[in-house]
Amino acid sequence: MKILELKLTQQNLDATPDAKTVAIDTLGRARNRPNFGNGGEVENLLGKAKVNHRKRQSSIPLEQRSGDIVLEPVDFDPDFDRATKADVNLTQLFSDVVGSDRTVKKLSGYQKIARVMRKKGKAQRDIRDLVPTNFIFKGPPGMSVIVFILADLMSNRCSIGTGKTTTARKMGQVYYDMGFLSSTEVVECSASDLIGQYVGQTGPKTRKLFEKALGKVLFVDEAYRLSEGSYAKEAIDELVGVLTQEQFKGKLIVILAGYDREMNGLIAANPG
């Protein structure tokens, strides 16, 4: 907030209290991205806000325009009220999906938790502890069974009649609306992109992919292959380790996807 206030003063700008709240929230989501820099991010955000402000002013009759630049929430984030529309967006997202009622109900519950926690003034870190961000999608082509992972337990399974990649994109939108992600983008890869070809290569490959997916959705297809090959244990250990590190925990959505039987085998071999 101090850097934001300083930059506003230096550029002879002002912002409403609500606009400042939206700006801080936008910066909070951007913080999930790699190479985040406070000063640079604030500068970029103000640059975009000024452009949006000019566009708004250009649509107002000349005699009604203000000589002072007072930024509004919409200047910092045109979709700043997405959280208030999250329930409607969620229903619309899955409206064309057969058998999605349980999935929508589960995700709606997560949205409610996030909304209530924010009203109580809780930090994003506290909210992440209550809302799962790691999932398993399994099933034949054209069908997903979402396994909701709470802590280390697979507590619920929801079958929906749409493809795993399509569902991953919908999940990206849901968590973006909740304020967990800075983008709805899905970073797609296969298990082979995580597994090294010699000892010591797996860790850097896995970390690089996770860094690329910060603030986004990481979709790992054919994830059951993580339990195959000479360096499989190294891959699984690295994956679990990265998921529990503060740099990554709750700062991206991780989806492991694959065929039903093979994914059951992966889960059985690595229950944690």
Side-chain angles (χ1 to χ4, degrees), residues 140-240:
M143 175 69 74
S144 292
V145 176
I146 303 178
V147 181
F148 291 89
I149 304 179
L150 304 179
D152 292 328
L153 301 177
M154 276 63 76
S155 65
N156 196 0
R157 290 170 169 77
C158 300
S159 301
I160 59 177
T162 191
K164 290 180 279 293
T165 306
T166 300
T167 306
R169 295 193 181 98
K170 293 179 186 292
M171 295 288 280
Q173 184 64 58
V174 170
Y175 275 79
Y176 176 76
D177 288 345
M178 277 197 283
F180 275 65
L181 304 178
S182 58
S183 167
T184 61
E185 182 183 347
V186 176
V187 177
E188 298 183 47
C189 70
S190 64
S192 60
D193 294 317
L194 299 173
I195 301 174
Q197 297 180 331
Y198 53 83
V199 174
Q201 187 185 28
T202 295
K205 289 185 71 173
T206 299
R207 182 171 291 274
K208 185 176 180 179
L209 265 173
F210 269 72
E211 289 175 348
K212 180 181 178 181
L214 274 170
K216 307 171 186 177
V217 176
L218 177 61
F219 180 81
V220 184
D221 202 8
E222 298 181 334
Y224 51 84
R225 296 190 183 280
L226 290 171
S227 63
E228 301 173 355
S230 304
Y231 305 107
K233 187 178 186 304
E234 184 182 354
I236 291 293
D237 290 346
E238 186 65 30
L239 179 65
V240 173

Side-chain angles (χ1 to χ4, degrees), residues 111-162:
Q111 289 180 336
K112 182 177 181 180
I113 291 172
R115 189 163 55 246
V116 170
M117 292 288 283
R118 283 200 179 89
K119 285 184 178 179
K120 291 181 177 180
K122 297 295 184 181
Q124 188 69 15
R125 179 184 300 178
D126 297 325
I127 301 173
R128 289 191 180 105
D129 289 338
L130 298 176
V131 178
T133 52
N134 306 321
F135 302 91
I136 289 177
F137 288 8
K138 58 180 185 172
M143 175 69 74
S144 292
V145 176
I146 303 178
V147 181
F148 291 89
I149 304 179
L150 304 179
D152 292 328
L153 301 177
M154 276 63 76
S155 65
N156 196 0
R157 290 170 169 77
C158 300
S159 301
I160 59 177
T162 191

Side-chain angles (χ1 to χ4, degrees), residues 34-55:
N35 304 317
F36 175 87
N38 283 323
E41 289 291 342
V42 171
E43 196 70 47
N44 291 337
L45 181 62
L46 284 177
K48 294 176 182 177
K50 287 188 290 186
V51 170
N52 290 335
H53 180 270
R54 283 196 294 269
K55 288 180 180 177

Side-chain angles (χ1 to χ4, degrees), residues 32 36 68 73 76 78 80 91 94 116 130 140 146 151 205 225 228 254 258 266:
N32 291 336
F36 175 87
D68 299 322
F76 286 108
F80 73 94
T91 302
F94 288 91
V116 170
L130 298 176
I146 303 178
K205 289 185 71 173
R225 296 190 183 280
E228 301 173 355
V254 179
L266 175 66

